[in-house]
Structures are given as structure tokens and as C-alpha cells.
Amino acid sequence: MSENLNRLAYFVAIAEEGTITAAAARLRVSKAVVSKQLQLLEDDLGATLVLRNSRHFNLTETGEGFYEAARAAVAQARDAFHLVRKGRDEPSGELRVTAPLEFGVGYVAPAVAAFSLLYPALKIDLTLSDTRFDPVEARFDIAFRVGWLEDSSNTARKLTGFSQVVVAAPPIVETFGMPQTLDELARLPFIENRALKAPSRLTFKDKNGRIRDMTFQPSVTGDTTQAVLSVVKAGGGIANMPDFMVVDALSNGELVELLPGFALPSGKISAVFPPTPYRSAATRKFTEFFFERFRERQRQSTGAKMDYDKRHPIRETGLRRQSWTVAG
């Protein structure tokens, strides 16, 4: 197909320049190459397009009609290549993005709004759902992931790591007391997040590296992290939360961290892309735009987290808080 398209371009140059010599000069190839391509094109079509001898060169009637169609086809192909190259350099067309609901509402949607103002020619399709869409099957350019990545052939780029913390509203602590052990923690009303793979099973590690799996009996279940967080803030019970979602609430006293001397498994925030060798300008530039915005908010939240740590120092357990890391 590409060879046939090239032959159309050679023929258009011949018709417009009037001689094979001039066409060769325009295309910056030898006369032999131009003559060969014309011959192959005529063989493909089974028709004579050009009448030529040592002194005359004219298009046949068939050649005249074919020239008009060939010129339009070459122009359309040129426009198509230009469109792709333009999209490679400047965001245009459509960008399809998906993210988990809470992370999408809090972080991705505001970035989409700001980015769309910078590039009004770009259409952004944003899907927020806790369903983990495969970016290839669902035709997403970017799929944000919060948690743990599954093995796949897709390409992933880590944005940051996060820790899990167990939190409660102050009335829970006032009612049940501050738990000192995991067994005491397990007696508190637990809010289950059904969006997680094992919503009621948590794995804790103590200062000596000992691991203990705990199964909680939920008093309330929710299907999204935001729903669970709302119940916790309202004093409904305790829950494990990503630290970036509760750092402000911990800082202002709306929530309290429980058993900070025990660590839960850390996770990652990543952007996942289809395994393609090239990405559009919209994909590349939005990814960088989002990462920079997120890092700035992270720096602000880290300051709030440091303030919280100063006011609420960890008990002497020997276990340090896991710090946030940023990956380019």
C-alpha cells in the first residue's frame, strides 16, 4: 500500500512538472527511479497514463482523469501525516483518561480543567471509576492507578509512593479509648472498603519486623474510599486510609492516627499507558503537567504532615514513619 502511494506521488510530480527529468529534480531522485515507478504504476493499473517519446510527453485521457484522483489522494495523505506530526508536537484531537473515583475527583479532575484551558483545541474524555480498566482494551491514553499494579504488558510510570494509616475521629477515641495493641484495635468498629481486594484483612508489621494478619469484623461497608472516609469522619468507626488522603484531616485534628508504631503495606500512585512506542503530545504533556501539579500539592501536604508529626510524635517504638518518595 505504501509503495502504491509513493507511485501516486511520483505520477503527480510527473504530471505537474511535464517531464521525468523535472519530476526527478523535484523529488530529488534519479530519472531512472521516476521512470521505474511510472512503469510499475502503469503495470498495476493495466493502463497507459503517459505517452512519451524523445520529443513529446503528454498524459493520456486515462492519465488526465487519474491525475485528478491521484492528486487528491496524495494531498489527503499529506494532510494525514501532517495531522499526526502536529499531534506529536502540540496537544490536539482527543485524550482519554481514567482514574479511581476519589483520586480522580481530588487530583485528576482539577488538572484536566486547568490543562483544557491551556489547550482548547484538545478534547479530554475523563472517566472516574474504581473499576480497573485495561488501557488497551478500553482505549485509554492514561490510566491512573492507586495501590498495587498487576502484571501486564502495559507501561507504568510511578508518580509517588504512599503509606496506609489507620485513622478514627476523636469521638471514637473518647468512647473506646486509645488502643495500645492490635487486639484492642480489632475491637473497635471497623469501616470496610469494598474497593480493596481484601477489605477486612490488614497486615501489620511491628518494630521488630514481625508480621501479623488481622481480620476485622466490619460494622459498616462502603464501595468507595471516599464513602468510607466520610463515615470515619462522622465518627462511625476506624479504617485504613492512604496517607495522602488524610494528612490534612490529621493536621487539623479532624482525624487521629491509631497505633502509628505498626506499619501497613505501602502502595504506589502510577500512570499506566498502552505499550506503544510513541505517545501523543497530549498524553506526554498532560502526564508532565499532572505530575508537576501533584508534586506541588505533595510538597504542601508534606509540610502539613511535618506539622502534625511535631504535635503528635510517634511513641518510642523504634519504627520510623515511611517517607514519601517521588519517581520521575
Side-chain angles (χ1 to χ4, degrees):
M1 186 65 163
S2 61
E3 290 181 356
N4 291 339
L5 187 58
N6 285 335
R7 289 169 192 165
L8 289 184
Y10 279 105
F11 173 71
V12 168
I14 292 169
E16 291 179 348
E17 295 299 328
T19 67
I20 288 179
T21 300
R26 167 173 156 177
L27 297 170
R28 297 182 181 180
V29 297
S30 68
K31 291 189 292 183
V33 170
V34 177
S35 295
K36 184 62 175 179
Q37 292 300 313
L38 176 60
Q39 177 190 335
L40 292 173
L41 180 59
E42 290 180 327
D43 290 344
D44 286 344
L45 295 172
T48 299
L49 301 176
V50 177
L51 293 175
R52 56 197 181 277
N53 58 28
S54 60
R55 292 188 298 171
H56 300 286
F57 184 99
N58 293 298
L59 297 181
T60 64
E61 184 177 351
T62 300
E64 291 281 1
F66 186 72
Y67 163 70
E68 296 298 332
R71 182 178 63 175
V74 170
Q76 288 180 344
R78 188 181 298 112
D79 290 343
F81 277 99
H82 175 72
L83 182 63
V84 171
R85 291 192 179 105
K86 180 180 178 182
R88 197 172 58 194
D89 301 326
E90 188 72 11
S92 61
E94 183 180 46
L95 176 67
R96 302 194 71 236
V97 181
T98 183
L101 181 59
E102 289 75 24
F103 184 74
V105 170
Y107 295 91
V108 182
V112 164
F115 193 74
S116 65
L117 294 177
L118 294 176
Y119 301 101
L122 177 68
K123 176 185 176 183
I124 303 179
D125 183 332
L126 177 61
T127 298
L128 301 183
S129 172
D130 287 330
T131 300
R132 287 202 166 197
F133 297 104
D134 182 271
V136 175
E137 181 180 2
R139 298 175 63 85
F140 283 107
D141 300 295
I142 308 173
F144 287 100
R145 298 281 191 258
V146 177
W148 297 266
L149 295 178
E150 300 175 353
D151 291 335
S152 74
S153 61
N154 296 319
T155 301
R157 179 177 172 185
K158 179 184 174 183
L159 170 57
T160 185
F162 67 86
S163 298
Q164 294 186 85
V165 293
V166 179
V167 296
I172 288 291
V173 177
E174 294 170 3
T175 301
F176 295 94
M178 179 67 76
Q180 302 298 315
T181 66
L182 291 177
D183 290 326
E184 291 179 1
L185 184 72
R187 297 190 187 103
L188 302 182
F190 182 74
I191 314 303
E192 179 185 75
N193 186 353
R194 296 200 307 273
L196 301 177
K197 284 188 175 181
S200 294
R201 187 177 180 85
L202 303 182
T203 300
F204 294 88
K205 181 185 291 186
D206 68 14
K207 65 179 180 179
N208 297 314
R210 291 189 296 257
I211 295 176
R212 182 177 177 184
D213 290 329
M214 301 285 295
T215 300
F216 291 78
Q217 297 301 318
S219 58
V220 177
T221 66
D223 62 348
T224 67
T225 305
Q226 188 61 52
V228 172
L229 182 57
S230 295
V231 175
V232 172
K233 287 183 175 180
I238 69 172
N240 57 305
M241 285 282 155
D243 56 3
F244 67 88
M245 285 194 64
V246 295
V247 63
D248 292 335
L250 290 172
S251 178
N252 63 29
E254 189 178 9
L255 293 177
V256 177
E257 183 177 357
L258 307 180
L259 293 184
F262 290 83
L264 288 166
S266 58
K268 298 177 182 178
I269 301 174
S270 308
V272 177
F273 312 92
T276 57
Y278 303 103
R279 298 193 187 110
S280 69
T283 299
R284 297 195 316 272
K285 292 194 175 185
F286 179 74
T287 301
E288 296 302 329
F289 181 81
F290 177 81
F291 276 31
E292 183 54 40
R293 281 175 61 97
F294 186 90
R295 287 166 181 153
E296 180 57 33
R297 287 189 60 176
Q298 186 185 51
R299 284 190 286 267
Q300 296 173 0
S301 295
T302 299
K305 184 174 185 293
M306 292 175 65
D307 290 341
Y308 168 77
D309 290 344
K310 290 177 182 178
R311 294 196 304 272
H312 305 275
I314 299 176
R315 293 188 299 276
E316 293 298 327
T317 62
L319 183 69
R320 299 176 62 189
R321 285 183 189 271
Q322 181 169 354
S323 62
W324 288 20
T325 58
V326 177

